[in-house]
Amino acid sequence: MRRRSNKLPLILIIIGLIVLIIIVFKFIPGLGEKEPRDVVDAFYHYEQEGDFGSAWELFHPVMQKKFTKNAYVTERSHIYMGHYGVNTFSYNISDEKEIKSFKMAKGSEAFPIANSITVEQTFKSKFGTFTVLQDVYTVEEEGEWKIVWDFK
């Protein structure tokens, strides 16, 4: 007796694999990309954990020139722990908007596009609970969003 083979399941599996491969190659480059809001969230998460060095790494190179890593880590931790008397804080991110020709400081070169994101930090300190509200800006640098502050 001759056995009849059913090739339909094999063909469906091959078609499914081809579709999966196409989807993976189409969307893999975007998997590692972060949106401006994600970078701001990562920055404040690092700061919340006391990892000021990792937060500094998310600065745009112009910000990194403004603050050396060592100076930033030392000053930022001193402000939170020394002056505020806190080990951590909570934060909320809101109000994202795109800005064209953003200048970080008077006389500085304009970034073609920036995203302004409002961050609200809440500290429960030895002096009571208080909130710091800051607009944080993200600009693209070599395909990645980086953080800058407004010094105008």
Side-chain angles (χ1 to χ4, degrees):
M1 242 194 267
R2 193 168 169 191
R3 197 169 191 209
R4 217 169 70 175
S5 79
N6 189 355
K7 294 183 180 182
L8 185 59
L10 182 61
I11 292 171
L12 289 176
I13 290 171
I14 291 171
I15 291 172
L17 286 173
I18 291 170
V19 169
L20 182 64
I21 289 169
I22 290 170
I23 289 171
V24 167
F25 279 108
K26 183 170 176 82
F27 294 107
I28 278 285
L31 287 178
E33 291 180 14
K34 294 188 179 217
E35 296 295 318
R37 187 180 190 90
D38 297 333
V39 173
V40 172
D41 185 45
F43 179 85
Y44 282 95
H45 177 75
Y46 286 138
E47 293 224 326
Q48 188 180 49
E49 297 295 317
D51 187 356
F52 302 107
S54 292
W56 182 89
E57 294 291 336
L58 296 175
F59 278 146
H60 186 277
V62 297
M63 285 289 291
Q64 291 177 342
K65 286 179 185 172
K66 196 164 189 58
F67 304 101
T68 66
K69 188 174 188 176
N70 187 48
Y72 182 79
V73 168
T74 302
E75 289 177 37
R76 201 73 166 176
S77 64
H78 180 72
I79 289 168
Y80 288 156
M81 293 171 208
H83 291 293
Y84 294 170
V86 298
N87 293 324
T88 191
F89 57 88
S90 61
Y91 66 95
N92 290 307
I93 299 171
S94 62
D95 299 336
E96 183 177 347
K97 65 181 175 183
E98 187 176 285
I99 299 171
K100 294 188 187 313
S101 297
F102 172 75
K103 287 188 175 188
M104 190 174 117
K106 289 180 182 177
S108 67
E109 191 173 321
F111 295 102
I113 303 273
N115 293 284
S116 171
I117 299 170
T118 303
V119 177
E120 179 182 292
Q121 293 174 276
T122 301
F123 298 90
K124 293 183 179 182
S125 78
K126 61 186 176 185
F127 304 109
T129 301
F130 61 94
T131 301
V132 173
L133 196 63
Q134 181 178 17
D135 289 327
V136 177
Y137 300 86
T138 58
V139 295
E140 209 164 7
E141 173 70 14
E142 297 181 6
E144 291 184 23
W145 291 102
K146 296 291 186 173
I147 290 179
V148 296
W149 289 335
D150 186 354
F151 291 95
K152 293 180 221 147

